[in-house]
Structure formats: structure tokens, C-alpha cells
Amino acid sequence: MEFVNVIKPGLFSTIQDLGRSGYRMYGVSVCGAMDSLSLRLANLLVGNAEGEAALEVTLTGPTLEFEADGVIAITGGDLSPMLNQSPVPMWKAVKVKAGDRLQFGQCKVGCRSYIAFSGGIAVPKVMNSRSTFVRGGYGGMEGRPLKAGDRLPLGTPRIASKRVVGRRLPPELIPDFEQERSVRFILGPHDRAFTSQSVEQFLNSKYTVSNEADRMGYRLEGPKLEHVAGADIISDYISIGTIQVPGSGLPIIHMADCGVSGGYTKLGVVVGVDIGFFAQKKPGDTLQLEPIDMHTAKREW
């Protein structure tokens, strides 16, 4: 088995795949990549199945050293990746050799990069997924972010490296995380639990991602939503993208590590096709939310 050595772990680097499906009924979070499209594309570039485990790195990337030749692809936010101190192209399958070092510099665009390795990361599966769930302490590398000295085991590539090296995503298909556009959502089920004036203000205002933003959820700062008769409800279902509004009136958008139920009113849910774009927002970034109907959401998906 081939390995990749972790020289420096970066700010928050975890092993993620597409998450745990079929376990929410038991109270198990889905987890998985925050920006699943970027992870899927990274895997396809190196010849993996879309859902293979890769590294999700946040704001400050790790320093990795390769023990053997292989192929990698880096997608998602631009954290200035460098191979042996030279810039390495993103959204492209790149050959690496034994002894090469991958590291990262300034965060230019977005906040999360995905590093896929040919063969995928071959840590044991927990509930049919290799995704790290830090709050639960399972998956990935012992249920925690990477630390210096870790050795990442790699699986056997499905496709020979010579067939994938140089494979790239056409520029016109690369997601644009800098573009000024709204984050779309479907209104409900508790939109009538808020005053019409505050909902109107919410739809016409820009919000800022607060410092309380992690894999579990993003708290937004801006005009407060006003409840008609309080924020509490009988606890019910929560999904990734749910816009929950507690008594503070400040919305929380639930993300990959969110729980499965909650007892506060829900204004809506961010459509699946926009989750990855939203996941590339970092504290201090602004955004505006736009309601769309179910038919439009399905067409966009």
C-alpha cells in the first residue's frame, strides 16, 4: 500500500467522501464534503469513482509528502497550491513523484480545497463511509482532523496514471466562487411563523457569514427575523441547507455535519445545487438569499 505523509496538517484538514446515507433515522449525521461537486470532480479527474475519499482542507492547507509516484487533482477554493515550491494548476490531473511535497499558500478564492489521489484514501469505512465526523469522533483518521505525522493510506488506482495525467476540466465548466449571485432557497415550512415585514426585509437584505461558521452550520449576521409567536416548535426534521431561525432572529444555515432534528422554526432550505457555492463562503463574506420554487430547483439540479 502506498502512503502520503502529513508534514503539517493545515488549519482544519479532514478526510471526506460523499457522506453516510441511510443512517439519519438513527440520529447519524450525513457528514461528507461540504462542497460535494468539487470533491466529485477531483475524483473523476484522477480516474476514481466520484465518491472516493479525498482531503477537504480549509483556509490554510497542509504540507504533504508523497512516498510513491501517483496522480492528484486539486479542486474547490484556490488556496494557492504548490508542488515543490512551484504553482500547481487546479482542476487538472497532475503527476507526483516519490519525495515530492505539496503545500499551500494564500487563500485567494473560496475557503475549501479538495485533494483527490488516484486510488482514493483507503482508511476504514464506518457506516459505509470514510468521512470524518469530528463531533462524533469517528471516520477518517480516528475521527479527527489531520495532525503532523499521519500517514494516509492510498488505494489501488482503477486507471493507469498515463491515461489520466493532464486530464482537466474545461475552463467554462469550472465553478466560479467569486461571482456575485444569490444563494437560492425554497421557502417553508414555517415561513408563516415570521412577520411578513421581517420576511420581506430578509429577502431584500444582504447577510454576512459570522465567525460562528463551521461544518455543522453557518450563523448569518444582518437584519433579524421577527417571530409571530416565538421560535420554539416540536422538534422535527433538519437537512443540509435548512435555514433555522432561533429566538435571536439570526438565521443559521445547517451544513454537512448538521444533526437530524431541531426545535426552532425553519424559514426554508437552500437548494442542493447551491450548497457547494455557499460552502465556499468564509467568515466576513456577504450573500443574499433568493427564494425559488420547487420546479426551478429540480431543473437546476
Side-chain angles (χ1 to χ4, degrees):
M1 181 175 281
E2 298 174 356
F3 290 86
V4 177
N5 294 312
V6 179
I7 308 302
K8 295 181 180 179
L11 178 64
F12 192 83
S13 304
T14 59
I15 296 170
Q16 301 293 340
D17 54 23
L18 293 180
R20 296 178 173 87
S21 60
Y23 292 92
R24 290 179 64 84
M25 69 183 79
Y26 306 114
V28 176
S29 299
V30 174
C31 307
M34 290 276 278
D35 177 2
S36 61
L37 177 61
S38 290
L39 177 132
R40 291 164 60 200
L41 290 169
N43 274 318
L44 291 174
L45 286 169
V46 299
N48 293 341
E50 293 183 29
E52 285 289 351
L55 281 186
E56 177 182 274
V57 302
T58 309
L59 291 173
T60 302
T63 298
L64 307 175
E65 185 176 81
F66 300 92
E67 290 189 6
D69 295 0
V71 183
I72 65 169
I74 304 168
T75 62
D78 186 351
L79 308 186
S80 304
M82 295 172 286
L83 190 63
N84 302 325
Q85 301 293 327
S86 297
V88 58
M90 295 185 60
W91 308 96
K92 180 181 180 180
V94 176
K95 184 175 179 59
V96 294
K97 297 180 180 179
D100 283 354
R101 282 199 175 192
L102 176 69
Q103 59 192 113
F104 293 79
Q106 178 185 4
C107 176
K108 294 180 179 178
V109 177
C111 69
R112 290 180 172 86
S113 282
Y114 293 85
I115 311 168
F117 308 87
S118 53
I121 302 175
V123 293
K125 289 186 176 182
V126 178
M127 288 176 279
N128 205 35
S129 170
R130 295 184 170 94
S131 285
T132 308
F133 183 40
V134 173
R135 282 182 170 82
Y138 56 81
M141 294 294 289
E142 303 171 349
R144 57 167 172 76
L146 298 188
K147 65 180 182 181
D150 282 342
R151 297 178 76 218
L152 306 179
L154 302 184
T156 303
R158 299 193 311 164
I159 303 175
S161 61
K162 63 182 180 181
R163 291 180 55 194
V164 296
V165 169
R167 181 185 285 180
R168 64 167 66 237
L169 194 67
E172 65 272 17
L173 297 182
I174 295 174
D176 184 356
F177 300 123
E178 283 189 295
Q179 65 177 308
E180 288 290 331
R181 72 167 179 85
S182 58
V183 173
R184 296 163 293 181
F185 76 102
I186 296 169
L187 200 63
H190 304 137
D191 47 303
R192 294 185 181 180
F194 305 92
T195 64
S196 57
Q197 294 90 342
S198 69
V199 172
E200 187 69 22
Q201 185 179 39
F202 172 84
L203 297 178
N204 290 286
S205 300
K206 287 194 174 182
Y207 282 77
T208 302
V209 177
S210 76
N211 288 325
E212 296 180 68
D214 59 18
R215 284 183 49 86
M216 189 170 186
Y218 280 25
R219 188 183 297 274
L220 304 182
E221 295 177 342
K224 295 182 178 181
L225 284 150
E226 182 180 347
H227 292 90
V228 173
D232 294 336
I233 61 170
I234 296 174
S235 291
D236 65 4
Y237 184 75
I238 282 178
S239 65
I240 296 169
T242 294
I243 305 171
Q244 192 180 50
V245 186
S248 67
L250 293 175
I252 300 168
I253 300 183
H254 290 262
M255 301 301 284
D257 285 357
C258 72
V260 302
S261 64
Y264 295 124
T265 47
K266 297 176 290 188
L267 180 63
V269 60
V270 174
V271 298
V273 75
D274 278 5
I275 291 291
F277 175 77
F278 179 65
Q280 292 291 351
K281 298 290 184 183
K282 55 186 176 293
D285 287 350
T286 60
L287 67 141
Q288 188 161 3
L289 288 108
E290 174 191 355
I292 62 174
D293 59 39
M294 186 75 74
H295 175 74
T296 304
K298 286 182 177 180
R299 186 178 69 243
E300 289 296 304
W301 182 259

